Amino acid sequence: MTVQPALPTLAFASDHAGVELRAHLRAQAEAWGYATVDLGPDAGQSVDYPDYAGKLAEALNSGPATLGVLICGSGIGISIAANRHAHIRAALVSEALSARLAREHNNANVIVFGARLIGLDLAADALKQFLTTPFDGGERHARRVAKLG
């Protein structure tokens, strides 16, 4: 009997623009068997994306999550905010190929979406690719990731 390794727990956070996409992606991840943590916000709240990037960074730093999903309107602001945390390698992606490369070459631990720039199905495909792609770990990529801090 082969024992499958446990799937990582995923933390989800967004600003107000990303509430719908966050709910959709979280439901998809749970359907695929992942445990999830929803860090908010609730619908209808106007919030500042740096606060939610910080909540996700804390969830990855002290548990319970090992990978994260962040969403804001464009994905740009929340990516910048997340990458200010030394243990975060957040990658803004627009489709499955960039999601795969973010994991394979950069060992990204956070995937970021622009809710106003990507559709629900395309984002779900990218998330699936991100979650199922391991870090290449080869000397070339490992050396570069180590230089990130």
Side-chain angles (χ1 to χ4, degrees), residues 118-139:
I118 193 168
L120 299 176
D121 292 338
L122 188 56
D125 289 344
L127 178 59
K128 183 68 168 182
Q129 189 70 62
F130 181 82
L131 295 173
T132 58
T133 300
F135 178 49
D136 174 270
E139 187 273 329

Side-chain angles (χ1 to χ4, degrees), residues 39-64:
L39 302 171
D42 294 328
Q45 290 180 276
S46 179
V47 300
D48 297 329
Y49 59 80
D51 297 336
Y52 286 86
K55 287 181 181 206
L56 186 128
E58 181 60 31
L60 267 60
N61 192 43
S62 62

Side-chain angles (χ1 to χ4, degrees), residues 79-137:
S79 294
I80 293 168
N83 280 314
R84 293 181 57 88
H85 299 270
H87 64 286
I88 300 295
R89 288 176 310 283
L92 174 58
V93 305
S94 56
E95 35 47 51
L97 177 59
S98 57
R100 178 177 66 82
L101 294 173
R103 289 288 295 146
E104 190 175 278
H105 291 187
N106 306 113
N107 201 19
N109 58 355
V110 176
I111 188 170
V112 183
F113 297 101
R116 295 181 179 127
L117 305 175
I118 193 168
L120 299 176
D121 292 338
L122 188 56
D125 289 344
L127 178 59
K128 183 68 168 182
Q129 189 70 62
F130 181 82
L131 295 173
T132 58
T133 300
F135 178 49
D136 174 270

Side-chain angles (χ1 to χ4, degrees), residues 19-38:
V19 170
E20 179 185 0
L21 181 56
R22 188 182 82 238
H24 177 74
L25 293 177
R26 185 171 176 227
Q28 285 290 293
E30 289 174 350
W32 298 328
Y34 291 87
T36 67
V37 176
D38 190 342

